[in-house]
Amino acid sequence: MKHLFLLFLLAFCSLLPAFAQSVDYTSLYYPHINKAELAITNNDFSST
């Protein structure tokens, strides 16, 4: 029974990377951050 539990645990742990996020959020995140950084460097705080 102990070996069966360890085998199940090993199989479950090997599947964990499959549940990782596969969406590239940098394509959504970077343009907004870049716009905010440029506004800060230009002292243009009204363009949010």
mmCIF file of all heavy atoms in Angstrom:
data_model
loop_
_atom_site.group_PDB
_atom_site.id
_atom_site.type_symbol
_atom_site.label_atom_id
_atom_site.label_comp_id
_atom_site.label_asym_id
_atom_site.label_seq_id
_atom_site.Cartn_x
_atom_site.Cartn_y
_atom_site.Cartn_z
ATOM 1 N N MET A 1 0.818 -1.191 0.000
ATOM 2 C CA MET A 1 0.000 0.000 0.000
ATOM 3 C C MET A 1 0.866 1.259 0.000
ATOM 4 O O MET A 1 0.528 2.241 -0.648
ATOM 5 C CB MET A 1 -0.922 -0.037 1.231
ATOM 6 C CG MET A 1 -1.938 1.043 1.269
ATOM 7 S SD MET A 1 -3.139 0.742 -0.026
ATOM 8 C CE MET A 1 -4.168 2.119 0.157
ATOM 9 N N LYS A 2 1.972 1.196 0.726
ATOM 10 C CA LYS A 2 2.876 2.330 0.797
ATOM 11 C C LYS A 2 3.486 2.613 -0.575
ATOM 12 O O LYS A 2 3.612 3.766 -0.989
ATOM 13 C CB LYS A 2 3.969 2.041 1.822
ATOM 14 C CG LYS A 2 4.925 3.170 2.050
ATOM 15 C CD LYS A 2 5.944 2.805 3.121
ATOM 16 C CE LYS A 2 6.947 3.891 3.346
ATOM 17 N NZ LYS A 2 7.945 3.516 4.333
ATOM 18 N N HIS A 3 3.822 1.551 -1.306
ATOM 19 C CA HIS A 3 4.409 1.714 -2.634
ATOM 20 C C HIS A 3 3.400 2.280 -3.629
ATOM 21 O O HIS A 3 3.748 3.077 -4.499
ATOM 22 C CB HIS A 3 4.953 0.384 -3.150
ATOM 23 C CG HIS A 3 6.095 -0.132 -2.338
ATOM 24 N ND1 HIS A 3 7.319 0.468 -2.343
ATOM 25 C CD2 HIS A 3 6.181 -1.184 -1.484
ATOM 26 C CE1 HIS A 3 8.129 -0.188 -1.539
ATOM 27 N NE2 HIS A 3 7.451 -1.205 -0.995
ATOM 28 N N LEU A 4 2.155 1.907 -3.490
ATOM 29 C CA LEU A 4 1.111 2.415 -4.361
ATOM 30 C C LEU A 4 0.911 3.913 -4.132
ATOM 31 O O LEU A 4 0.765 4.680 -5.090
ATOM 32 C CB LEU A 4 -0.201 1.660 -4.122
ATOM 33 C CG LEU A 4 -1.362 2.036 -5.018
ATOM 34 C CD1 LEU A 4 -1.038 1.739 -6.475
ATOM 35 C CD2 LEU A 4 -2.604 1.277 -4.601
ATOM 36 N N PHE A 5 0.937 4.326 -2.886
ATOM 37 C CA PHE A 5 0.808 5.754 -2.564
ATOM 38 C C PHE A 5 1.983 6.538 -3.119
ATOM 39 O O PHE A 5 1.810 7.611 -3.693
ATOM 40 C CB PHE A 5 0.701 5.949 -1.048
ATOM 41 C CG PHE A 5 0.677 7.394 -0.648
ATOM 42 C CD1 PHE A 5 -0.450 8.173 -0.899
ATOM 43 C CD2 PHE A 5 1.775 7.974 -0.037
ATOM 44 C CE1 PHE A 5 -0.472 9.519 -0.541
ATOM 45 C CE2 PHE A 5 1.757 9.309 0.312
ATOM 46 C CZ PHE A 5 0.635 10.084 0.068
ATOM 47 N N LEU A 6 3.188 6.029 -2.955
ATOM 48 C CA LEU A 6 4.373 6.713 -3.478
ATOM 49 C C LEU A 6 4.350 6.785 -4.997
ATOM 50 O O LEU A 6 4.749 7.791 -5.590
ATOM 51 C CB LEU A 6 5.641 6.023 -2.989
ATOM 52 C CG LEU A 6 5.929 6.173 -1.496
ATOM 53 C CD1 LEU A 6 7.151 5.356 -1.104
ATOM 54 C CD2 LEU A 6 6.109 7.628 -1.117
ATOM 55 N N LEU A 7 3.871 5.742 -5.645
ATOM 56 C CA LEU A 7 3.758 5.742 -7.094
ATOM 57 C C LEU A 7 2.735 6.782 -7.546
ATOM 58 O O LEU A 7 2.969 7.523 -8.509
ATOM 59 C CB LEU A 7 3.359 4.354 -7.592
ATOM 60 C CG LEU A 7 3.263 4.187 -9.100
ATOM 61 C CD1 LEU A 7 4.614 4.430 -9.748
ATOM 62 C CD2 LEU A 7 2.752 2.805 -9.435
ATOM 63 N N PHE A 8 1.608 6.858 -6.860
ATOM 64 C CA PHE A 8 0.602 7.863 -7.176
ATOM 65 C C PHE A 8 1.156 9.272 -6.963
ATOM 66 O O PHE A 8 0.935 10.167 -7.787
ATOM 67 C CB PHE A 8 -0.643 7.650 -6.310
ATOM 68 C CG PHE A 8 -1.676 8.719 -6.484
ATOM 69 C CD1 PHE A 8 -2.459 8.760 -7.627
ATOM 70 C CD2 PHE A 8 -1.852 9.684 -5.515
ATOM 71 C CE1 PHE A 8 -3.403 9.756 -7.798
ATOM 72 C CE2 PHE A 8 -2.794 10.683 -5.675
ATOM 73 C CZ PHE A 8 -3.573 10.718 -6.825
ATOM 74 N N LEU A 9 1.878 9.471 -5.882
ATOM 75 C CA LEU A 9 2.458 10.777 -5.583
ATOM 76 C C LEU A 9 3.481 11.166 -6.646
ATOM 77 O O LEU A 9 3.506 12.311 -7.102
ATOM 78 C CB LEU A 9 3.099 10.751 -4.195
ATOM 79 C CG LEU A 9 3.598 12.077 -3.657
ATOM 80 C CD1 LEU A 9 2.432 13.046 -3.481
ATOM 81 C CD2 LEU A 9 4.301 11.868 -2.335
ATOM 82 N N LEU A 10 4.289 10.241 -7.061
ATOM 83 C CA LEU A 10 5.281 10.498 -8.102
ATOM 84 C C LEU A 10 4.599 10.844 -9.430
ATOM 85 O O LEU A 10 5.006 11.779 -10.118
ATOM 86 C CB LEU A 10 6.193 9.282 -8.277
ATOM 87 C CG LEU A 10 7.264 9.410 -9.346
ATOM 88 C CD1 LEU A 10 8.263 10.500 -8.979
ATOM 89 C CD2 LEU A 10 7.962 8.089 -9.544
ATOM 90 N N ALA A 11 3.553 10.112 -9.776
ATOM 91 C CA ALA A 11 2.829 10.386 -11.019
ATOM 92 C C ALA A 11 2.162 11.762 -10.961
ATOM 93 O O ALA A 11 2.171 12.506 -11.937
ATOM 94 C CB ALA A 11 1.797 9.297 -11.269
ATOM 95 N N PHE A 12 1.599 12.114 -9.822
ATOM 96 C CA PHE A 12 0.951 13.412 -9.680
ATOM 97 C C PHE A 12 1.961 14.543 -9.776
ATOM 98 O O PHE A 12 1.708 15.554 -10.432
ATOM 99 C CB PHE A 12 0.198 13.481 -8.349
ATOM 100 C CG PHE A 12 -0.496 14.794 -8.132
ATOM 101 C CD1 PHE A 12 -1.649 15.097 -8.832
ATOM 102 C CD2 PHE A 12 0.006 15.719 -7.232
ATOM 103 C CE1 PHE A 12 -2.295 16.316 -8.645
ATOM 104 C CE2 PHE A 12 -0.627 16.927 -7.036
ATOM 105 C CZ PHE A 12 -1.774 17.228 -7.737
ATOM 106 N N CYS A 13 3.111 14.379 -9.150
ATOM 107 C CA CYS A 13 4.140 15.422 -9.183
ATOM 108 C C CYS A 13 4.732 15.586 -10.578
ATOM 109 O O CYS A 13 5.159 16.676 -10.949
ATOM 110 C CB CYS A 13 5.240 15.113 -8.172
ATOM 111 S SG CYS A 13 4.699 15.337 -6.467
ATOM 112 N N SER A 14 4.755 14.527 -11.339
ATOM 113 C CA SER A 14 5.288 14.651 -12.694
ATOM 114 C C SER A 14 4.320 15.370 -13.621
ATOM 115 O O SER A 14 4.717 15.894 -14.657
ATOM 116 C CB SER A 14 5.621 13.278 -13.251
ATOM 117 O OG SER A 14 4.441 12.531 -13.441
ATOM 118 N N LEU A 15 3.041 15.437 -13.255
ATOM 119 C CA LEU A 15 2.058 16.132 -14.072
ATOM 120 C C LEU A 15 1.899 17.603 -13.702
ATOM 121 O O LEU A 15 1.240 18.343 -14.426
ATOM 122 C CB LEU A 15 0.694 15.447 -13.948
ATOM 123 C CG LEU A 15 0.586 14.057 -14.558
ATOM 124 C CD1 LEU A 15 -0.786 13.470 -14.266
ATOM 125 C CD2 LEU A 15 0.818 14.110 -16.056
ATOM 126 N N LEU A 16 2.479 18.044 -12.610
ATOM 127 C CA LEU A 16 2.309 19.423 -12.170
ATOM 128 C C LEU A 16 2.792 20.447 -13.196
ATOM 129 O O LEU A 16 2.129 21.468 -13.374
ATOM 130 C CB LEU A 16 2.998 19.647 -10.826
ATOM 131 C CG LEU A 16 2.254 19.090 -9.616
ATOM 132 C CD1 LEU A 16 3.053 19.353 -8.344
ATOM 133 C CD2 LEU A 16 0.871 19.681 -9.490
ATOM 134 N N PRO A 17 3.912 20.247 -13.884
ATOM 135 C CA PRO A 17 4.295 21.247 -14.883
ATOM 136 C C PRO A 17 3.284 21.390 -16.015
ATOM 137 O O PRO A 17 3.244 22.410 -16.694
ATOM 138 C CB PRO A 17 5.627 20.722 -15.422
ATOM 139 C CG PRO A 17 6.173 19.893 -14.325
ATOM 140 C CD PRO A 17 4.973 19.283 -13.661
ATOM 141 N N ALA A 18 2.444 20.420 -16.243
ATOM 142 C CA ALA A 18 1.438 20.510 -17.288
ATOM 143 C C ALA A 18 0.357 21.530 -16.941
ATOM 144 O O ALA A 18 -0.350 22.012 -17.828
ATOM 145 C CB ALA A 18 0.800 19.145 -17.519
ATOM 146 N N PHE A 19 0.223 21.880 -15.654
ATOM 147 C CA PHE A 19 -0.775 22.844 -15.229
ATOM 148 C C PHE A 19 -0.224 24.268 -15.178
ATOM 149 O O PHE A 19 -0.908 25.171 -14.728
ATOM 150 C CB PHE A 19 -1.335 22.474 -13.851
ATOM 151 C CG PHE A 19 -2.055 21.161 -13.840
ATOM 152 C CD1 PHE A 19 -1.562 20.096 -13.113
ATOM 153 C CD2 PHE A 19 -3.216 20.990 -14.576
ATOM 154 C CE1 PHE A 19 -2.218 18.885 -13.099
ATOM 155 C CE2 PHE A 19 -3.881 19.780 -14.573
ATOM 156 C CZ PHE A 19 -3.386 18.730 -13.838
ATOM 157 N N ALA A 20 0.991 24.463 -15.638
ATOM 158 C CA ALA A 20 1.591 25.794 -15.626
ATOM 159 C C ALA A 20 0.891 26.683 -16.650
ATOM 160 O O ALA A 20 0.264 26.208 -17.585
ATOM 161 C CB ALA A 20 3.078 25.703 -15.933
ATOM 162 N N GLN A 21 1.044 27.981 -16.467
ATOM 163 C CA GLN A 21 0.404 28.916 -17.384
ATOM 164 C C GLN A 21 1.091 28.858 -18.738
ATOM 165 O O GLN A 21 2.306 28.946 -18.838
ATOM 166 C CB GLN A 21 0.481 30.329 -16.836
ATOM 167 C CG GLN A 21 -0.331 30.529 -15.590
ATOM 168 C CD GLN A 21 -0.224 31.948 -15.073
ATOM 169 O OE1 GLN A 21 0.614 32.702 -15.523
ATOM 170 N NE2 GLN A 21 -1.061 32.290 -14.126
ATOM 171 N N SER A 22 0.304 28.744 -19.771
ATOM 172 C CA SER A 22 0.871 28.674 -21.106
ATOM 173 C C SER A 22 0.622 29.946 -21.907
ATOM 174 O O SER A 22 1.061 30.055 -23.037
ATOM 175 C CB SER A 22 0.293 27.477 -21.855
ATOM 176 O OG SER A 22 -1.102 27.622 -21.965
ATOM 177 N N VAL A 23 -0.077 30.913 -21.329
ATOM 178 C CA VAL A 23 -0.374 32.162 -22.022
ATOM 179 C C VAL A 23 0.767 33.140 -21.783
ATOM 180 O O VAL A 23 1.258 33.276 -20.673
ATOM 181 C CB VAL A 23 -1.708 32.757 -21.508
ATOM 182 C CG1 VAL A 23 -2.007 34.068 -22.195
ATOM 183 C CG2 VAL A 23 -2.829 31.771 -21.709
ATOM 184 N N ASP A 24 1.191 33.819 -22.837
ATOM 185 C CA ASP A 24 2.267 34.800 -22.721
ATOM 186 C C ASP A 24 1.675 36.157 -22.352
ATOM 187 O O ASP A 24 1.156 36.866 -23.210
ATOM 188 C CB ASP A 24 3.038 34.881 -24.031
ATOM 189 C CG ASP A 24 4.226 35.813 -23.945
ATOM 190 O OD1 ASP A 24 4.686 36.087 -22.819
ATOM 191 O OD2 ASP A 24 4.698 36.264 -25.006
ATOM 192 N N TYR A 25 1.729 36.497 -21.081
ATOM 193 C CA TYR A 25 1.139 37.741 -20.624
ATOM 194 C C TYR A 25 2.038 38.945 -20.890
ATOM 195 O O TYR A 25 1.615 40.078 -20.712
ATOM 196 C CB TYR A 25 0.823 37.665 -19.125
ATOM 197 C CG TYR A 25 -0.371 36.791 -18.852
ATOM 198 C CD1 TYR A 25 -0.222 35.522 -18.308
ATOM 199 C CD2 TYR A 25 -1.646 37.222 -19.159
ATOM 200 C CE1 TYR A 25 -1.318 34.721 -18.072
ATOM 201 C CE2 TYR A 25 -2.743 36.429 -18.929
ATOM 202 C CZ TYR A 25 -2.583 35.185 -18.381
ATOM 203 O OH TYR A 25 -3.665 34.390 -18.153
ATOM 204 N N THR A 26 3.269 38.723 -21.338
ATOM 205 C CA THR A 26 4.126 39.863 -21.635
ATOM 206 C C THR A 26 3.610 40.650 -22.828
ATOM 207 O O THR A 26 3.856 41.848 -22.928
ATOM 208 C CB THR A 26 5.568 39.411 -21.891
ATOM 209 O OG1 THR A 26 5.582 38.474 -22.962
ATOM 210 C CG2 THR A 26 6.177 38.790 -20.655
ATOM 211 N N SER A 27 2.892 39.990 -23.743
ATOM 212 C CA SER A 27 2.346 40.721 -24.885
ATOM 213 C C SER A 27 1.216 41.651 -24.459
ATOM 214 O O SER A 27 0.954 42.651 -25.121
ATOM 215 C CB SER A 27 1.853 39.746 -25.950
ATOM 216 O OG SER A 27 0.816 38.942 -25.431
ATOM 217 N N LEU A 28 0.550 41.351 -23.360
ATOM 218 C CA LEU A 28 -0.494 42.224 -22.836
ATOM 219 C C LEU A 28 0.048 43.203 -21.804
ATOM 220 O O LEU A 28 -0.416 44.331 -21.691
ATOM 221 C CB LEU A 28 -1.606 41.394 -22.193
ATOM 222 C CG LEU A 28 -2.346 40.431 -23.103
ATOM 223 C CD1 LEU A 28 -3.301 39.565 -22.279
ATOM 224 C CD2 LEU A 28 -3.102 41.188 -24.159
ATOM 225 N N TYR A 29 1.053 42.765 -21.059
ATOM 226 C CA TYR A 29 1.570 43.534 -19.933
ATOM 227 C C TYR A 29 2.540 44.614 -20.391
ATOM 228 O O TYR A 29 2.471 45.750 -19.938
ATOM 229 C CB TYR A 29 2.250 42.570 -18.970
ATOM 230 C CG TYR A 29 2.944 43.202 -17.789
ATOM 231 C CD1 TYR A 29 2.217 43.651 -16.704
ATOM 232 C CD2 TYR A 29 4.328 43.326 -17.756
ATOM 233 C CE1 TYR A 29 2.842 44.213 -15.625
ATOM 234 C CE2 TYR A 29 4.964 43.891 -16.680
ATOM 235 C CZ TYR A 29 4.218 44.335 -15.611
ATOM 236 O OH TYR A 29 4.845 44.886 -14.559
ATOM 237 N N TYR A 30 3.443 44.271 -21.296
ATOM 238 C CA TYR A 30 4.529 45.182 -21.663
ATOM 239 C C TYR A 30 4.050 46.499 -22.268
ATOM 240 O O TYR A 30 4.565 47.550 -21.896
ATOM 241 C CB TYR A 30 5.509 44.483 -22.602
ATOM 242 C CG TYR A 30 6.633 45.378 -23.031
ATOM 243 C CD1 TYR A 30 7.668 45.694 -22.151
ATOM 244 C CD2 TYR A 30 6.661 45.947 -24.295
ATOM 245 C CE1 TYR A 30 8.689 46.532 -22.514
ATOM 246 C CE2 TYR A 30 7.673 46.787 -24.670
ATOM 247 C CZ TYR A 30 8.701 47.079 -23.791
ATOM 248 O OH TYR A 30 9.700 47.915 -24.154
ATOM 249 N N PRO A 31 3.107 46.517 -23.196
ATOM 250 C CA PRO A 31 2.705 47.813 -23.766
ATOM 251 C C PRO A 31 2.154 48.797 -22.734
ATOM 252 O O PRO A 31 2.441 49.998 -22.807
ATOM 253 C CB PRO A 31 1.626 47.446 -24.788
ATOM 254 C CG PRO A 31 1.917 46.038 -25.149
ATOM 255 C CD PRO A 31 2.447 45.414 -23.903
ATOM 256 N N HIS A 32 1.407 48.307 -21.762
ATOM 257 C CA HIS A 32 0.855 49.193 -20.728
ATOM 258 C C HIS A 32 1.954 49.726 -19.820
ATOM 259 O O HIS A 32 1.961 50.901 -19.461
ATOM 260 C CB HIS A 32 -0.199 48.465 -19.900
ATOM 261 C CG HIS A 32 -1.395 48.066 -20.709
ATOM 262 N ND1 HIS A 32 -2.298 48.970 -21.192
ATOM 263 C CD2 HIS A 32 -1.813 46.852 -21.131
ATOM 264 C CE1 HIS A 32 -3.231 48.344 -21.871
ATOM 265 N NE2 HIS A 32 -2.963 47.048 -21.854
ATOM 266 N N ILE A 33 2.888 48.859 -19.461
ATOM 267 C CA ILE A 33 3.990 49.287 -18.600
ATOM 268 C C ILE A 33 4.897 50.250 -19.343
ATOM 269 O O ILE A 33 5.360 51.249 -18.792
ATOM 270 C CB ILE A 33 4.772 48.060 -18.080
ATOM 271 C CG1 ILE A 33 3.861 47.206 -17.198
ATOM 272 C CG2 ILE A 33 6.020 48.475 -17.329
ATOM 273 C CD1 ILE A 33 3.281 47.941 -16.011
ATOM 274 N N ASN A 34 5.152 49.981 -20.616
ATOM 275 C CA ASN A 34 5.994 50.871 -21.415
ATOM 276 C C ASN A 34 5.357 52.250 -21.525
ATOM 277 O O ASN A 34 6.030 53.272 -21.390
ATOM 278 C CB ASN A 34 6.218 50.269 -22.800
ATOM 279 C CG ASN A 34 7.240 51.042 -23.592
ATOM 280 O OD1 ASN A 34 8.149 51.613 -23.035
ATOM 281 N ND2 ASN A 34 7.074 51.056 -24.904
ATOM 282 N N LYS A 35 4.043 52.300 -21.752
ATOM 283 C CA LYS A 35 3.340 53.579 -21.842
ATOM 284 C C LYS A 35 3.419 54.337 -20.519
ATOM 285 O O LYS A 35 3.638 55.558 -20.497
ATOM 286 C CB LYS A 35 1.884 53.333 -22.224
ATOM 287 C CG LYS A 35 1.082 54.583 -22.414
ATOM 288 C CD LYS A 35 -0.345 54.262 -22.815
ATOM 289 C CE LYS A 35 -1.184 55.518 -22.899
ATOM 290 N NZ LYS A 35 -2.588 55.227 -23.188
ATOM 291 N N ALA A 36 3.266 53.622 -19.413
ATOM 292 C CA ALA A 36 3.344 54.260 -18.094
ATOM 293 C C ALA A 36 4.753 54.770 -17.812
ATOM 294 O O ALA A 36 4.927 55.875 -17.282
ATOM 295 C CB ALA A 36 2.920 53.257 -17.015
ATOM 296 N N GLU A 37 5.763 54.005 -18.177
ATOM 297 C CA GLU A 37 7.141 54.444 -17.951
ATOM 298 C C GLU A 37 7.467 55.671 -18.784
ATOM 299 O O GLU A 37 8.144 56.590 -18.317
ATOM 300 C CB GLU A 37 8.110 53.311 -18.263
ATOM 301 C CG GLU A 37 8.089 52.195 -17.245
ATOM 302 C CD GLU A 37 8.969 51.025 -17.650
ATOM 303 O OE1 GLU A 37 9.387 50.961 -18.822
ATOM 304 O OE2 GLU A 37 9.235 50.172 -16.789
ATOM 305 N N LEU A 38 7.013 55.697 -20.025
ATOM 306 C CA LEU A 38 7.254 56.866 -20.870
ATOM 307 C C LEU A 38 6.522 58.095 -20.332
ATOM 308 O O LEU A 38 7.060 59.214 -20.390
ATOM 309 C CB LEU A 38 6.832 56.575 -22.310
ATOM 310 C CG LEU A 38 7.703 55.579 -23.058
ATOM 311 C CD1 LEU A 38 7.104 55.277 -24.423
ATOM 312 C CD2 LEU A 38 9.129 56.080 -23.192
ATOM 313 N N ALA A 39 5.327 57.903 -19.800
ATOM 314 C CA ALA A 39 4.594 59.021 -19.217
ATOM 315 C C ALA A 39 5.306 59.557 -17.982
ATOM 316 O O ALA A 39 5.354 60.778 -17.769
ATOM 317 C CB ALA A 39 3.173 58.592 -18.867
ATOM 318 N N ILE A 40 5.894 58.678 -17.194
ATOM 319 C CA ILE A 40 6.626 59.117 -15.998
ATOM 320 C C ILE A 40 7.864 59.902 -16.396
ATOM 321 O O ILE A 40 8.153 60.954 -15.817
ATOM 322 C CB ILE A 40 6.988 57.907 -15.113
ATOM 323 C CG1 ILE A 40 5.717 57.337 -14.477
ATOM 324 C CG2 ILE A 40 8.006 58.305 -14.043
ATOM 325 C CD1 ILE A 40 5.935 56.021 -13.771
ATOM 326 N N THR A 41 8.595 59.412 -17.383
ATOM 327 C CA THR A 41 9.815 60.127 -17.791
ATOM 328 C C THR A 41 9.500 61.457 -18.450
ATOM 329 O O THR A 41 10.309 62.377 -18.396
ATOM 330 C CB THR A 41 10.670 59.276 -18.747
ATOM 331 O OG1 THR A 41 9.877 58.919 -19.872
ATOM 332 C CG2 THR A 41 11.184 58.022 -18.060
ATOM 333 N N ASN A 42 8.326 61.589 -19.056
ATOM 334 C CA ASN A 42 7.923 62.857 -19.675
ATOM 335 C C ASN A 42 7.150 63.752 -18.707
ATOM 336 O O ASN A 42 6.699 64.827 -19.108
ATOM 337 C CB ASN A 42 7.055 62.607 -20.911
ATOM 338 C CG ASN A 42 7.832 61.968 -22.026
ATOM 339 O OD1 ASN A 42 9.032 62.168 -22.152
ATOM 340 N ND2 ASN A 42 7.151 61.203 -22.853
ATOM 341 N N ASN A 43 7.007 63.330 -17.464
ATOM 342 C CA ASN A 43 6.238 64.059 -16.442
ATOM 343 C C ASN A 43 4.815 64.332 -16.910
ATOM 344 O O ASN A 43 4.239 65.370 -16.639
ATOM 345 C CB ASN A 43 6.929 65.364 -16.055
ATOM 346 C CG ASN A 43 8.182 65.134 -15.261
ATOM 347 O OD1 ASN A 43 8.260 64.170 -14.503
ATOM 348 N ND2 ASN A 43 9.162 65.992 -15.440
ATOM 349 N N ASP A 44 4.239 63.378 -17.618
ATOM 350 C CA ASP A 44 2.872 63.484 -18.122
ATOM 351 C C ASP A 44 2.003 62.500 -17.330
ATOM 352 O O ASP A 44 1.738 61.409 -17.773
ATOM 353 C CB ASP A 44 2.842 63.172 -19.607
ATOM 354 C CG ASP A 44 1.454 63.310 -20.203
ATOM 355 O OD1 ASP A 44 0.618 64.008 -19.602
ATOM 356 O OD2 ASP A 44 1.223 62.732 -21.274
ATOM 357 N N PHE A 45 1.583 62.927 -16.158
ATOM 358 C CA PHE A 45 0.847 62.033 -15.268
ATOM 359 C C PHE A 45 -0.645 61.999 -15.564
ATOM 360 O O PHE A 45 -1.367 61.222 -14.977
ATOM 361 C CB PHE A 45 1.073 62.438 -13.812
ATOM 362 C CG PHE A 45 2.511 62.352 -13.409
ATOM 363 C CD1 PHE A 45 3.255 63.482 -13.214
ATOM 364 C CD2 PHE A 45 3.131 61.121 -13.252
ATOM 365 C CE1 PHE A 45 4.590 63.417 -12.849
ATOM 366 C CE2 PHE A 45 4.454 61.039 -12.899
ATOM 367 C CZ PHE A 45 5.190 62.182 -12.698
ATOM 368 N N SER A 46 -1.109 62.830 -16.496
ATOM 369 C CA SER A 46 -2.547 62.839 -16.785
ATOM 370 C C SER A 46 -2.942 61.760 -17.763
ATOM 371 O O SER A 46 -4.111 61.423 -17.874
ATOM 372 C CB SER A 46 -2.940 64.206 -17.344
ATOM 373 O OG SER A 46 -2.257 64.432 -18.578
ATOM 374 N N SER A 47 -2.018 61.180 -18.514
ATOM 375 C CA SER A 47 -2.366 60.141 -19.520
ATOM 376 C C SER A 47 -2.276 58.778 -18.890
ATOM 377 O O SER A 47 -1.267 58.100 -18.942
ATOM 378 C CB SER A 47 -1.433 60.241 -20.713
ATOM 379 O OG SER A 47 -0.110 59.946 -20.310
ATOM 380 N N THR A 48 -3.361 58.365 -18.269
ATOM 381 C CA THR A 48 -3.379 57.056 -17.624
ATOM 382 C C THR A 48 -4.213 56.078 -18.423
ATOM 383 O O THR A 48 -5.088 56.394 -19.128
ATOM 384 C CB THR A 48 -3.935 57.142 -16.196
ATOM 385 O OG1 THR A 48 -5.208 57.739 -16.232
ATOM 386 C CG2 THR A 48 -2.983 57.937 -15.328
#
